[in-house]
Amino acid sequence: MSLFTYSRLSHILRISSLKLSAGRAEITPGSVGCVQPKRWQGSGDSKALQERQKKQMARGLPKHKPISGVDQVIVVASGKGGVGKSTTAVNLALGLMANDPSKSVGLLDADIYGPSIPKLMNLRGNPELSDNNRMIPLSNYGVPCMSMGFLVEDTAPIVWRGLMVMSAIERLLRQVDWGSLDYLVVDMPPGTGDVQLSITQNIPIAGAVIVSTPQDIALLDARRGAEMFKKVNVPVLGLVQNMSVFHCPNCNHQTHIFGSDGALKLAQTLGIKMLGDVPLHLNIRETSDRGQPVVVSSPGSPEAAAYRSVAAAVLQRLQEVNA
Protein backbone atom coordinates (compact mmCIF):
# COMPACT_ATOMS: atom_id res chain seq x y z
CA MET A 1 0.00 0.00 0.00
CA SER A 2 1.12 3.55 -0.74
CA LEU A 3 1.06 6.45 1.72
CA PHE A 4 -1.17 9.49 1.31
CA THR A 5 0.95 12.59 1.93
CA TYR A 6 0.32 16.33 2.30
CA SER A 7 2.02 17.15 -1.01
CA ARG A 8 -0.09 14.59 -2.84
CA LEU A 9 -3.29 15.95 -1.28
CA SER A 10 -2.31 19.56 -2.08
CA HIS A 11 -1.78 18.65 -5.74
CA ILE A 12 -5.20 16.98 -5.95
CA LEU A 13 -6.94 19.88 -4.22
CA ARG A 14 -5.34 22.50 -6.47
CA ILE A 15 -6.64 20.65 -9.53
CA SER A 16 -10.09 20.35 -7.94
CA SER A 17 -10.12 24.05 -7.07
CA LEU A 18 -9.22 25.03 -10.63
CA LYS A 19 -12.08 22.91 -11.96
CA LEU A 20 -14.51 24.45 -9.48
CA SER A 21 -13.37 27.96 -10.39
CA ALA A 22 -13.74 27.23 -14.09
CA GLY A 23 -17.21 25.83 -13.50
CA ARG A 24 -18.28 28.93 -11.63
CA ALA A 25 -16.89 31.21 -14.34
CA GLU A 26 -19.19 29.59 -16.90
CA ILE A 27 -22.35 30.70 -15.06
CA THR A 28 -24.19 33.38 -17.00
CA PRO A 29 -26.73 35.91 -15.75
CA GLY A 30 -29.57 33.95 -17.28
CA SER A 31 -28.54 30.58 -15.86
CA VAL A 32 -30.19 28.62 -13.05
CA GLY A 33 -29.57 30.13 -9.65
CA CYS A 34 -30.02 33.80 -10.65
CA VAL A 35 -33.34 35.37 -9.78
CA GLN A 36 -34.37 38.42 -11.79
CA PRO A 37 -36.29 40.79 -9.46
CA LYS A 38 -39.35 42.67 -10.65
CA ARG A 39 -40.35 46.14 -9.54
CA TRP A 40 -43.96 45.19 -8.72
CA GLN A 41 -45.75 41.93 -8.21
CA GLY A 42 -49.15 41.02 -6.93
CA SER A 43 -49.62 38.58 -4.04
CA GLY A 44 -50.15 35.69 -6.44
CA ASP A 45 -47.00 36.54 -8.41
CA SER A 46 -45.04 36.92 -5.17
CA LYS A 47 -46.00 33.44 -3.99
CA ALA A 48 -45.11 31.97 -7.36
CA LEU A 49 -41.75 33.75 -7.27
CA GLN A 50 -41.03 32.40 -3.78
CA GLU A 51 -41.79 28.87 -4.97
CA ARG A 52 -39.45 29.29 -7.95
CA GLN A 53 -36.72 30.63 -5.65
CA LYS A 54 -37.07 27.63 -3.35
CA LYS A 55 -36.79 25.23 -6.27
CA GLN A 56 -33.76 27.04 -7.66
CA MET A 57 -32.04 27.07 -4.25
CA ALA A 58 -32.79 23.38 -3.78
CA ARG A 59 -31.12 22.60 -7.09
CA GLY A 60 -27.98 24.40 -5.99
CA LEU A 61 -27.67 22.56 -2.66
CA PRO A 62 -25.81 19.24 -2.54
CA LYS A 63 -27.84 16.14 -1.81
CA HIS A 64 -27.41 14.47 1.56
CA LYS A 65 -25.45 11.31 0.89
CA PRO A 66 -24.54 8.89 3.70
CA ILE A 67 -20.90 8.09 4.42
CA SER A 68 -20.21 4.56 3.28
CA GLY A 69 -20.18 2.13 6.21
CA VAL A 70 -21.29 4.71 8.80
CA ASP A 71 -24.64 4.29 10.53
CA GLN A 72 -24.96 7.60 12.44
CA VAL A 73 -22.93 10.83 12.44
CA ILE A 74 -22.65 12.95 15.59
CA VAL A 75 -21.04 16.37 15.26
CA VAL A 76 -19.42 18.09 18.25
CA ALA A 77 -19.38 21.85 17.80
CA SER A 78 -18.80 25.11 19.61
CA GLY A 79 -19.41 28.74 18.80
CA LYS A 80 -15.81 29.66 19.67
CA GLY A 81 -12.45 28.03 20.29
CA GLY A 82 -10.88 27.28 23.64
CA VAL A 83 -13.91 25.72 25.33
CA GLY A 84 -12.63 22.12 25.24
CA LYS A 85 -14.57 20.92 22.19
CA SER A 86 -11.90 18.55 20.86
CA THR A 87 -11.24 17.04 24.28
CA THR A 88 -14.98 16.52 24.65
CA ALA A 89 -15.23 14.93 21.19
CA VAL A 90 -12.44 12.46 21.96
CA ASN A 91 -13.81 11.46 25.35
CA LEU A 92 -17.35 11.30 23.95
CA ALA A 93 -16.22 8.80 21.30
CA LEU A 94 -14.45 6.72 23.94
CA GLY A 95 -17.41 7.12 26.30
CA LEU A 96 -19.78 5.74 23.67
CA MET A 97 -17.61 2.63 23.43
CA ALA A 98 -17.27 2.37 27.22
CA ASN A 99 -21.05 2.44 27.65
CA ASP A 100 -21.57 -0.21 24.98
CA PRO A 101 -18.40 -2.13 23.95
CA SER A 102 -20.34 -3.84 21.15
CA LYS A 103 -20.60 -0.53 19.28
CA SER A 104 -17.90 0.64 16.86
CA VAL A 105 -17.02 4.34 16.94
CA GLY A 106 -14.84 6.44 14.63
CA LEU A 107 -13.46 9.96 15.04
CA LEU A 108 -13.12 12.56 12.26
CA ASP A 109 -11.17 15.77 12.84
CA ALA A 110 -12.81 18.36 10.57
CA ASP A 111 -10.69 21.27 11.83
CA ILE A 112 -8.43 21.79 8.82
CA TYR A 113 -6.39 24.70 10.21
CA GLY A 114 -6.03 23.52 13.81
CA PRO A 115 -6.27 19.72 14.01
CA SER A 116 -6.10 18.40 17.60
CA ILE A 117 -7.05 14.72 17.29
CA PRO A 118 -3.51 13.43 16.50
CA LYS A 119 -2.20 14.88 19.79
CA LEU A 120 -5.21 13.87 21.87
CA MET A 121 -5.25 10.31 20.50
CA ASN A 122 -1.45 9.91 20.45
CA LEU A 123 -1.33 9.22 16.71
CA ARG A 124 1.06 10.30 13.98
CA GLY A 125 2.05 9.25 10.49
CA ASN A 126 0.56 9.30 7.01
CA PRO A 127 -2.54 7.20 6.28
CA GLU A 128 -2.14 4.35 3.83
CA LEU A 129 -4.29 4.01 0.73
CA SER A 130 -6.52 0.98 0.23
CA ASP A 131 -6.87 -0.91 -3.04
CA ASN A 132 -9.79 1.34 -4.03
CA ASN A 133 -7.68 4.45 -3.35
CA ARG A 134 -9.33 5.42 -0.06
CA MET A 135 -7.43 6.61 3.01
CA ILE A 136 -7.21 4.07 5.82
CA PRO A 137 -7.73 5.69 9.25
CA LEU A 138 -5.09 5.48 11.96
CA SER A 139 -6.36 3.78 15.12
CA ASN A 140 -5.75 3.93 18.85
CA TYR A 141 -7.80 2.76 21.84
CA GLY A 142 -10.01 0.89 19.38
CA VAL A 143 -11.09 4.10 17.61
CA PRO A 144 -10.22 4.70 13.92
CA CYS A 145 -9.31 8.36 13.38
CA MET A 146 -8.79 10.65 10.41
CA SER A 147 -7.33 14.15 10.56
CA MET A 148 -5.51 16.68 8.44
CA GLY A 149 -2.89 16.50 11.18
CA PHE A 150 -1.80 13.12 9.84
CA LEU A 151 -0.64 14.79 6.63
CA VAL A 152 1.39 17.71 8.02
CA GLU A 153 4.10 18.30 10.60
CA ASP A 154 2.98 19.43 14.05
CA THR A 155 4.24 22.99 13.53
CA ALA A 156 3.50 23.36 9.81
CA PRO A 157 0.74 25.86 8.94
CA ILE A 158 -1.91 24.95 6.39
CA VAL A 159 -2.15 27.93 4.03
CA TRP A 160 -5.12 27.18 1.82
CA ARG A 161 -7.89 29.27 0.31
CA GLY A 162 -11.57 28.45 0.72
CA LEU A 163 -11.96 26.22 -2.35
CA MET A 164 -9.08 23.99 -1.30
CA VAL A 165 -10.47 23.72 2.23
CA MET A 166 -13.86 22.68 0.87
CA SER A 167 -12.21 20.10 -1.36
CA ALA A 168 -10.22 18.77 1.59
CA ILE A 169 -13.41 18.42 3.65
CA GLU A 170 -15.02 16.54 0.76
CA ARG A 171 -12.12 14.09 0.70
CA LEU A 172 -12.23 13.60 4.45
CA LEU A 173 -15.94 12.84 4.19
CA ARG A 174 -15.94 10.66 1.09
CA GLN A 175 -12.45 9.23 0.57
CA VAL A 176 -11.89 7.47 3.91
CA ASP A 177 -12.34 3.72 4.35
CA TRP A 178 -14.12 3.63 7.74
CA GLY A 179 -15.12 0.00 7.47
CA SER A 180 -18.34 -0.48 9.44
CA LEU A 181 -19.15 2.06 12.18
CA ASP A 182 -22.17 2.49 14.42
CA TYR A 183 -21.16 6.09 15.20
CA LEU A 184 -18.82 8.61 13.62
CA VAL A 185 -18.02 11.51 15.95
CA VAL A 186 -16.99 14.63 14.00
CA ASP A 187 -14.87 17.24 15.79
CA MET A 188 -16.02 20.40 14.02
CA PRO A 189 -13.96 23.59 13.75
CA PRO A 190 -15.19 26.43 15.97
CA GLY A 191 -17.66 28.92 14.57
CA THR A 192 -20.47 28.81 12.01
CA GLY A 193 -18.70 29.19 8.67
CA ASP A 194 -18.24 27.41 5.35
CA VAL A 195 -16.91 24.13 6.75
CA GLN A 196 -19.84 23.69 9.11
CA LEU A 197 -22.36 24.42 6.35
CA SER A 198 -20.55 22.16 3.89
CA ILE A 199 -20.66 19.21 6.29
CA THR A 200 -24.29 19.71 7.30
CA GLN A 201 -25.38 20.03 3.66
CA ASN A 202 -23.42 17.02 2.38
CA ILE A 203 -24.10 14.23 4.87
CA PRO A 204 -27.07 13.20 7.01
CA ILE A 205 -26.30 14.09 10.64
CA ALA A 206 -28.03 12.26 13.48
CA GLY A 207 -27.45 15.13 15.88
CA ALA A 208 -25.21 17.93 17.11
CA VAL A 209 -23.60 18.31 20.53
CA ILE A 210 -22.79 21.90 21.54
CA VAL A 211 -19.89 22.48 23.95
CA SER A 212 -19.53 25.64 26.00
CA THR A 213 -18.09 26.92 29.24
CA PRO A 214 -20.49 28.69 31.65
CA GLN A 215 -18.90 32.04 30.77
CA ASP A 216 -21.29 34.60 29.24
CA ILE A 217 -19.04 35.38 26.26
CA ALA A 218 -18.76 31.67 25.38
CA LEU A 219 -22.51 31.16 25.77
CA LEU A 220 -23.25 33.91 23.26
CA ASP A 221 -21.32 32.01 20.59
CA ALA A 222 -22.72 28.65 21.72
CA ARG A 223 -26.20 30.01 21.12
CA ARG A 224 -25.25 31.03 17.58
CA GLY A 225 -23.97 27.51 16.96
CA ALA A 226 -27.18 25.91 18.22
CA GLU A 227 -29.31 28.27 16.13
CA MET A 228 -27.24 27.48 13.02
CA PHE A 229 -27.92 23.74 13.35
CA LYS A 230 -31.61 24.39 13.83
CA LYS A 231 -31.70 26.47 10.63
CA VAL A 232 -30.14 23.66 8.60
CA ASN A 233 -32.49 21.09 10.17
CA VAL A 234 -29.85 19.24 12.20
CA PRO A 235 -31.22 17.97 15.54
CA VAL A 236 -29.44 19.58 18.49
CA LEU A 237 -28.96 16.72 20.94
CA GLY A 238 -28.02 19.07 23.75
CA LEU A 239 -25.44 21.19 25.49
CA VAL A 240 -22.32 20.11 27.40
CA GLN A 241 -21.18 22.52 30.11
CA ASN A 242 -17.40 22.14 30.14
CA MET A 243 -15.05 23.45 32.85
CA SER A 244 -18.14 23.84 35.04
CA VAL A 245 -16.39 23.83 38.42
CA PHE A 246 -12.86 23.64 39.82
CA HIS A 247 -12.15 21.31 42.75
CA CYS A 248 -9.08 22.35 44.73
CA PRO A 249 -6.82 19.27 44.99
CA ASN A 250 -5.67 20.34 48.46
CA CYS A 251 -8.86 21.29 50.31
CA ASN A 252 -11.49 20.09 47.77
CA HIS A 253 -13.10 23.54 47.80
CA GLN A 254 -15.30 24.17 44.75
CA THR A 255 -14.80 27.33 42.68
CA HIS A 256 -16.93 28.30 39.68
CA ILE A 257 -14.17 30.06 37.76
CA PHE A 258 -16.24 30.67 34.61
CA GLY A 259 -19.57 31.22 36.34
CA SER A 260 -22.31 28.94 37.60
CA ASP A 261 -25.01 27.16 35.57
CA GLY A 262 -24.72 29.47 32.56
CA ALA A 263 -25.07 26.59 30.08
CA LEU A 264 -28.05 25.21 31.99
CA LYS A 265 -29.83 28.55 31.68
CA LEU A 266 -29.01 28.74 27.97
CA ALA A 267 -30.32 25.21 27.41
CA GLN A 268 -33.58 26.16 29.12
CA THR A 269 -33.83 29.32 27.00
CA LEU A 270 -33.29 27.40 23.75
CA GLY A 271 -35.47 24.49 24.79
CA ILE A 272 -32.68 21.91 24.42
CA LYS A 273 -31.31 19.27 26.78
CA MET A 274 -28.40 19.58 29.17
CA LEU A 275 -26.22 16.56 28.45
CA GLY A 276 -24.00 17.00 31.50
CA ASP A 277 -21.27 18.90 33.32
CA VAL A 278 -17.55 18.27 32.95
CA PRO A 279 -15.32 19.77 35.65
CA LEU A 280 -12.18 21.84 35.18
CA HIS A 281 -9.69 19.26 36.42
CA LEU A 282 -5.93 18.83 36.20
CA ASN A 283 -6.35 15.14 35.37
CA ILE A 284 -8.23 15.95 32.15
CA ARG A 285 -5.55 18.38 31.01
CA GLU A 286 -2.63 16.10 31.83
CA THR A 287 -4.09 12.98 30.22
CA SER A 288 -5.07 14.96 27.12
CA ASP A 289 -1.56 16.37 26.72
CA ARG A 290 -0.12 12.85 27.00
CA GLY A 291 -2.48 11.51 24.35
CA GLN A 292 -4.15 9.26 26.92
CA PRO A 293 -7.75 10.49 27.23
CA VAL A 294 -9.12 10.34 30.75
CA VAL A 295 -11.91 7.90 29.84
CA VAL A 296 -9.35 5.19 29.03
CA SER A 297 -6.40 6.22 31.24
CA SER A 298 -8.40 6.92 34.44
CA PRO A 299 -11.69 5.07 33.93
CA GLY A 300 -12.48 5.06 37.66
CA SER A 301 -12.10 8.81 38.11
CA PRO A 302 -15.05 11.23 38.54
CA GLU A 303 -13.86 13.04 35.40
CA ALA A 304 -14.16 9.89 33.28
CA ALA A 305 -17.57 9.22 34.84
CA ALA A 306 -18.66 12.71 33.74
CA TYR A 307 -17.79 11.96 30.11
CA ARG A 308 -19.47 8.55 30.24
CA SER A 309 -22.58 10.26 31.62
CA VAL A 310 -22.51 12.71 28.69
CA ALA A 311 -22.16 9.78 26.26
CA ALA A 312 -25.13 8.00 27.86
CA ALA A 313 -27.22 11.19 27.54
CA VAL A 314 -26.23 11.48 23.86
CA LEU A 315 -27.34 7.90 23.20
CA GLN A 316 -30.65 8.55 24.93
CA ARG A 317 -31.24 11.69 22.87
CA LEU A 318 -30.43 9.80 19.66
CA GLN A 319 -33.10 7.25 20.53
CA GLU A 320 -35.60 10.06 21.15
CA VAL A 321 -34.74 11.79 17.87
CA ASN A 322 -34.96 8.55 15.88
CA ALA A 323 -38.21 7.44 17.53
Side-chain angles (χ1 to χ4, degrees):
M1 293 184 180
S2 60
L3 294 178
F4 196 72
T5 62
Y6 175 75
S7 59
R8 183 172 180 177
L9 176 62
S10 297
H11 176 69
I12 293 172
L13 296 184
R14 286 192 185 95
I15 294 174
S16 300
S17 299
L18 289 173
K19 289 181 179 178
L20 283 172
S21 299
R24 290 183 178 182
E26 292 172 1
I27 297 176
T28 61
S31 64
V32 173
C34 291
V35 178
Q36 301 296 331
K38 295 181 179 179
R39 292 182 179 275
W40 168 256
Q41 292 158 349
S43 60
D45 291 341
S46 178
K47 289 181 180 179
L49 176 60
Q50 289 177 4
E51 289 300 318
R52 286 200 301 272
Q53 288 176 341
K54 286 182 181 179
K55 290 179 181 179
Q56 288 170 346
M57 289 178 67
R59 285 182 207 155
L61 290 176
K63 302 295 182 183
H64 281 120
K65 182 181 177 183
I67 299 175
S68 178
V70 175
D71 188 14
Q72 297 189 80
V73 176
I74 304 168
V75 297
V76 180
S78 66
K80 64 184 286 119
V83 297
K85 170 185 54 62
S86 296
T87 302
T88 301
V90 165
N91 284 285
L92 171 60
L94 293 167
L96 291 171
M97 290 182 61
N99 285 338
D100 189 349
S102 67
K103 300 297 184 182
S104 54
V105 183
L107 189 58
L108 172 61
D109 188 352
D111 194 343
I112 299 297
Y113 293 116
S116 302
I117 297 306
K119 175 70 172 178
L120 290 167
M121 291 294 284
N122 195 25
L123 289 168
R124 62 174 55 194
N126 298 120
E128 294 182 340
L129 290 175
S130 65
D131 294 336
N132 58 355
N133 223 28
R134 292 178 179 268
M135 292 180 284
I136 300 175
L138 278 63
S139 296
N140 201 5
Y141 310 116
V143 177
C145 305
M146 182 52 62
S147 170
M148 185 58 60
F150 297 150
L151 303 176
V152 297
E153 296 295 329
D154 293 342
T155 58
I158 297 176
V159 187
W160 286 346
R161 295 184 183 274
L163 286 176
M164 289 184 69
V165 172
M166 293 302 102
S167 297
I169 288 294
E170 179 69 16
R171 290 195 69 85
L172 288 175
L173 291 175
R174 302 294 179 197
Q175 299 298 318
V176 177
D177 187 355
W178 290 108
S180 179
L181 294 178
D182 293 292
Y183 306 106
L184 176 63
V185 176
V186 181
D187 179 21
M188 300 277 273
T192 55
D194 288 344
V195 172
Q196 290 84 350
L197 287 174
S198 178
I199 291 175
T200 56
Q201 291 173 353
N202 272 280
I203 60 175
I205 296 174
V209 174
I210 309 296
V211 181
S212 178
T213 63
Q215 187 180 8
D216 288 346
I217 194 68
L219 293 169
L220 285 172
D221 292 325
R223 179 167 189 163
R224 293 187 183 98
E227 295 290 358
M228 182 206 74
F229 285 114
K230 287 183 178 181
K231 284 189 175 182
V232 294
N233 299 318
V234 172
V236 179
L237 301 179
L239 196 62
V240 176
Q241 183 167 250
N242 197 29
M243 308 181 199
S244 60
V245 63
F246 173 70
H247 294 268
C248 176
N250 296 320
C251 65
N252 205 33
H253 176 71
Q254 295 185 10
T255 304
H256 295 276
I257 294 176
F258 296 106
S260 175
D261 292 331
L264 176 60
K265 295 173 184 176
L266 176 61
Q268 292 171 344
T269 300
L270 295 176
I272 61 178
K273 298 285 186 179
M274 265 296 294
L275 298 173
D277 291 314
V278 178
L280 177 63
H281 201 283
L282 184 63
N283 193 26
I284 296 176
R285 197 275 299 167
E286 289 180 338
T287 55
S288 297
D289 284 349
R290 291 199 303 264
Q292 300 171 342
V294 69
V295 169
V296 292
S297 60
S298 302
S301 66
E303 305 82 61
Y307 283 119
R308 288 197 301 272
S309 177
V310 168
V314 168
L315 289 174
Q316 182 178 354
R317 285 288 293 129
L318 283 174
Q319 291 177 353
E320 294 171 359
V321 169
N322 295 329

